[in-house]
Amino acid sequence: MTGAQIAAKAATQTTVISRRSKKDSRRETGFALIMWGALAFICLAIAVLLLTIVIDGLPRFSMDLFTNQPSKVNPETSGIQSAILGTLYLMVLTAAFVIPIGIATAIYLEEYADSTKWFNRFIELNIQNLASVPSVVYGLLGLAFIVRGPLSLGPTLLAGGITLTLLVLPVVIIVGREAIRAVPPSISEGALALGATKWQTIWRQVLPGSIAGIATGIILALSRAIGETAPLIVIGAAVSPRFNPDGLGSAFTAMPVQIFAYSKDADPQFLELASATILVLMGLLLLMNSIAIYLRNRFEQKW
Amino acid sequence: MPDTTRTAESDPTKTMDEPTGSTSSSSAHEVSPHLEPKPASETPSTETIFDCRNVDVLYSGKLAVAEVTAPLMKREITALIGPSGCGKSTFLRCLNRMNDLIPGAEVRGEIIYHGQDLYAKDVDPVQVRKHIGMVFQKPNPFPKSIYENIAFGPRIVGMKGDMDEIVENALKRASLWDDVKDRLKDNAFGMSGGQQQRLCIARALAVEPDVLLMDEPCSALDPISTNRIEDLMLEIKEQYSIVIVTHNMQQAARVSDKTAFFTVDLSAGESNRVGRLVEHDVTEKIFTQPEDKRTEEYVTGKFG
C-alpha cells in the first residue's frame, strides 16, 4: 500500500479504531454467564447441604452432645464425647509421626538425593503415586500390617494413628518439598559461602525460610486425616464406644466413624445426631483451615 | 591509580610458607612505568594469595575453563574481565570451592593458598570458605533482621567475643553502620539494593576472612551504589585481598591493581567453548598497552 492509498483510506474512514462488533459482545456475555452459572451451581449445592445439616443437627447441638457418650439404643441421651476425643488424639498422634518423618523425607529428597540416580527417581515417582491412592487401600494396609500381621497392634489408637500417618505422609512430603524448593538457591549459597556446613545451611536458613509453607501443608494434611472414614472403619475402629480412649493401646472411635454409625440407623433421631456430629467436625475443619490460611498470610516468606 | 596511595607498611599477617618467589616475579618485572616504584620486598603485591597452576574446570567431563596459570597478589584488587561465557565467574568460584556445589563439576590443577593446595584431598571446602568470603551478583541477604544477617556467619564459625561488637565492626567496615544503626532489628529485605549488597559485604567480612571474592557485585546496582561499593573496596583492600569479576571495564580500570583478561576459545567448535586466560598484568598496562591483540580488541571495545 502506498502512502497515497493509506491517506485515501484514512479519509474515507471516520474512526481509526473499529467499534466492538455485536458478535463479540454476545460471545463475551455468553462466557460470563456460563462461568456465573457454574459458580452459582456450586454455591447452591453447598448451601443446600449446609442448610439440611444445620436444620437437622441444630436441635441436638448442645452441651449434651459433648458430655454424653454414644449409644446405640438411647438416641435421646446419646452424645459423641468419645468420638471427639478419639479424633483429637488421632490428630495429635498423626502429627507426632508425620511432622518429623515428612519434613526429614522432604529435606532428603530436595537437598541430598541425587535425582540422576534411578532409585531416587523411583522414590519420587512412588510418593507422587501414593498421594493419589484411595484411602480405603491404606485402611487395608493398616489392617494387614499394623492391626494384624507384623505389628499386630490390634484396632487401637496407635494403629489408627499410624494408618492415618501413612495416608497423609505423601501429601506432607510433596508440600514440604515445594516449600523447600521455594527458598532461592542464592540463600543457601550465601550461607555456604560464609563457611556454613550443609546441615547448618539447611537448619538455619532453608528450614526457617520454608517453615510457613511446610506448616500450612501439615495442617491441611491433618485436616484431611481427621476427615477420613474408610481407613478407620477398615482397621476396625469401635462403633459407639461408651468410654474415652485412655492410651495408645485403647480402642477408639472418631467423628467420621460415628457419623457413619449414626446415619446407618433407621431411627430419625440418630440422623439428627449424625448431623450434629457433622457440624462439630466441620467446625473443627474450618478452624484448622483458617489457621493454615493465617499462617500462610502471616509468615510466608516473600522472596 | 589507587595504588599510589598505599602505604608500604610491612604485612602483619605474613605467613611463613608463602609460595612467593618465582611466581610473583613475573608480575613484578612487568610493573608499568606509570606506577610508583615500590620496594619489591616490602609491598604486599609481591606476595601471592592464590597461586593458580594449570587450573582446568570441567562440567560433566567437558572442559569449561582451561589452563589458568596466574599468581593473584595479596592485598590487591584483581579484576577478572572478559566476554560472557569466558569462564571468569567459573574460575572465581574455584577459589573458594563453590564449584563443588555443582553436580558434575571437577577442578584440575593446583590453587595454592598459604602454601596449601585448595584442592588437595584432605581439604574441607567448608573450612576453605571460612577464609575466603564471597559476594554474589545479586544481593542475597537472609530473610532476617540486619543484625541476624551479620551475626549468622560469626555464630556458625564459632567466633568468640561480644556479638554486638562483632556486628557493629562488620557494619562499620562496610560503611553501613551509620545507615542502619537505629534499625538493626529491621528485616534486611526492606533495605535498598545498594544497602543490601553492602550488607552482604559486611556479612562476608564479619567472619574475618582473608580474601573477598566478588562476582559482579555491582551489576544489579545503580551508579551511586556502585560508586559506594567501589570506594568500599578501595578502603578494605588494605586488609583483604580482593578478586572481582566484572563486566564493566571502567570498573576494572577504576578499582583494580591487576587485571586478568579471559576469552572464549572456539577453536574446538561452537559447542565446545572453553574459557582461557589471555593476559594477566597490571591494570594500567592491560588497558593501555596490552601484549595480546585479543586483549587490545576487547578493552578498546572492538569485540565482546
Side-chain angles (χ1 to χ4, degrees):
Chain A
M1 210 186 270
T2 66
Q5 278 174 310
I6 294 170
K9 196 167 182 232
T12 58
Q13 275 181 336
T14 47
T15 51
V16 178
I17 300 161
S18 61
R19 291 207 190 90
R20 182 204 284 245
S21 76
K22 283 238 170 65
K23 199 176 149 206
D24 279 353
S25 345
R26 269 205 306 275
R27 195 174 286 168
E28 294 279 325
T29 323
F31 276 126
L33 279 176
I34 290 172
M35 285 183 277
W36 277 107
L39 188 66
F41 176 73
I42 290 175
C43 289
L44 197 72
I46 293 172
V48 168
L49 190 70
L50 277 177
L51 213 64
T52 328
I53 292 166
V54 170
I55 291 169
D56 284 354
L58 210 54
R60 295 305 302 266
F61 194 82
S62 63
M63 271 321 282
D64 287 347
L65 191 70
F66 295 90
T67 52
N68 290 353
Q69 294 294 9
S71 157
K72 280 183 242 180
V73 285
N74 295 319
E76 298 82 13
T77 57
S78 264
I80 51 164
Q81 192 181 52
S82 60
I84 293 174
L85 284 172
T87 288
L88 292 179
Y89 288 166
L90 274 180
M91 189 166 76
V92 172
L93 208 54
T94 306
F97 290 133
V98 90
I99 290 171
I101 301 173
I103 295 178
T105 312
I107 291 174
Y108 170 77
L109 288 174
E110 271 312 304
E111 300 284 338
Y112 288 91
D114 177 358
S115 61
T116 59
K117 296 270 192 314
W118 71 268
F119 53 86
N120 286 320
R121 284 211 305 272
F122 182 72
I123 290 171
E124 276 178 37
L125 188 71
N126 273 292
I127 289 172
Q128 302 280 350
N129 284 336
L130 285 175
S132 54
V133 167
S135 60
V136 67
V137 176
Y138 283 98
L140 291 168
L141 177 79
L143 182 65
F145 285 90
I146 300 164
V147 176
R148 301 177 191 161
L151 291 182
S152 286
L153 295 174
T156 56
L157 202 56
L158 183 60
I162 296 174
T163 306
L164 291 181
T165 299
L166 295 177
L167 174 72
V168 297
L169 198 51
V171 180
V172 171
I173 293 169
I174 291 169
V175 176
R177 288 185 66 185
E178 272 164 19
I180 289 170
R181 213 177 307 141
V183 178
S186 63
I187 296 294
S188 303
E189 275 196 334
L192 290 165
L194 289 169
T197 61
K198 186 162 188 173
W199 176 246
Q200 284 171 325
T201 304
I202 292 169
W203 186 247
R204 298 184 185 220
Q205 295 296 345
V206 177
L207 265 188
S210 56
I211 201 68
I214 294 174
T216 308
I218 286 171
I219 292 173
L220 294 178
L222 288 179
S223 70
R224 183 187 164 196
I226 62 165
E228 280 296 342
T229 321
L232 297 181
I233 291 175
V234 171
I235 66 166
V239 175
S240 306
R242 298 190 59 78
F243 53 87
N244 293 332
D246 60 356
L248 293 178
S250 168
F252 71 102
T253 192
M255 280 192 271
V257 178
Q258 200 55 42
I259 292 166
F260 179 65
Y262 280 150
S263 60
K264 275 195 305 184
D265 206 290
D267 189 335
Q269 292 196 67
F270 280 115
L271 281 180
E272 288 173 15
L273 272 172
S275 293
T277 314
I278 290 172
L279 285 179
V280 178
L281 184 60
M282 285 209 308
L284 182 62
L285 292 177
L286 202 63
L287 177 72
M288 290 174 69
N289 288 7
S290 309
I291 293 173
I293 291 169
Y294 171 77
L295 282 180
R296 193 167 50 207
N297 291 346
R298 173 74 181 72
F299 295 104
E300 193 177 44
Q301 184 62 50
K302 306 272 189 304
W303 301 101
Chain B
M1 283 302 290
D3 243 9
T4 53
T5 58
R6 183 165 48 211
T7 53
E9 64 190 4
S10 68
D11 175 13
T13 62
K14 189 180 279 183
T15 48
M16 48 260 93
D17 49 3
E18 209 65 86
T20 49
S22 64
T23 48
S24 57
S25 66
S26 59
S27 61
H29 80 263
E30 284 164 1
V31 168
S32 81
H34 307 283
L35 288 171
E36 186 184 61
K38 289 172 279 204
S41 60
E42 288 194 29
T43 50
S45 62
T46 57
E47 277 182 71
T48 54
I49 186 77
F50 291 114
D51 189 11
C52 309
R53 297 173 187 163
N54 283 314
V55 176
D56 292 344
V57 186
L58 299 94
Y59 289 128
S60 310
K62 231 179 111 205
L63 204 58
V65 178
E67 293 162 18
V68 177
T69 297
L72 306 184
M73 294 299 155
K74 204 174 213 174
R75 255 162 264 179
E76 280 193 346
I77 299 177
T78 304
L80 311 181
I81 62 167
S84 298
C86 68
K88 53 196 190 300
S89 285
T90 300
F91 175 67
L92 186 78
R93 283 161 173 262
C94 293
L95 301 177
N96 67 342
R97 296 198 57 168
M98 285 301 273
N99 278 336
D100 289 34
L101 304 173
I102 301 166
E106 186 194 341
V107 177
R108 291 184 193 150
E110 286 180 327
I111 298 177
I112 310 293
Y113 169 78
H114 289 288
Q116 234 181 333
D117 180 8
L118 290 181
Y119 284 87
K121 277 215 165 58
D122 57 345
V123 171
D124 178 4
V126 171
Q127 297 304 321
V128 170
R129 295 183 202 125
K130 285 179 186 170
H131 295 278
I132 304 164
M134 189 161 200
V135 175
F136 297 85
Q137 189 168 355
K138 216 174 136 253
N140 59 344
F142 301 133
K144 295 169 187 275
S145 69
I146 292 168
Y147 184 97
E148 287 301 318
N149 260 277
I150 307 289
F152 176 78
R155 283 204 188 112
I156 52 160
V157 303
M159 270 169 70
K160 302 269 181 296
D162 181 15
M163 190 53 77
D164 291 354
E165 215 168 278
I166 292 173
V167 170
E168 185 176 336
N169 282 336
L171 287 168
K172 277 180 175 160
R173 262 178 284 175
S175 49
L176 195 58
W177 175 249
D178 290 331
D179 293 19
V180 302
K181 63 183 175 207
D182 299 323
R183 51 184 181 114
L184 292 175
K185 298 277 171 255
D186 288 9
N187 195 300
F189 279 27
M191 305 168 90
S192 72
Q195 286 177 327
Q196 286 188 4
Q197 194 61 302
R198 275 185 286 147
L199 180 72
C200 292
I201 294 173
R203 186 173 76 184
L205 298 182
V207 293
E208 291 175 5
D210 189 24
V211 185
L212 199 57
L213 307 178
M214 306 177 103
D215 190 357
E216 298 186 46
C218 301
S219 64
L221 305 181
D222 63 83
I224 293 167
S225 305
T226 300
N227 215 338
R228 293 200 67 168
I229 298 223
E230 287 178 7
D231 288 347
L232 178 58
M233 289 167 66
L234 294 172
E235 275 166 39
I236 63 176
K237 78 164 186 174
E238 308 267 328
Q239 298 154 59
Y240 305 94
S241 313
I242 298 173
V243 185
I244 175 175
V245 166
T246 178
H247 259 119
N248 180 335
M249 275 188 280
Q250 284 78 31
Q251 182 169 60
R254 281 193 298 265
V255 299
S256 69
D257 302 294
K258 300 278 164 58
T259 297
F261 170 65
F262 285 70
T263 194
V264 190
D265 178 359
L266 292 169
S267 59
E270 183 66 37
S271 58
N272 290 307
R273 320 167 118 245
V274 179
R276 282 179 199 280
L277 174 63
V278 176
E279 200 170 345
H280 172 221
D281 211 325
V282 175
T283 296
E284 193 146 340
K285 184 147 183 293
I286 292 278
F287 280 94
T288 54
Q289 28 186 289
E291 299 203 336
D292 197 287
K293 197 156 181 319
R294 290 168 294 177
T295 314
E296 189 185 339
E297 285 177 349
Y298 186 77
V299 298
T300 54
K302 280 188 190 136
F303 102 101

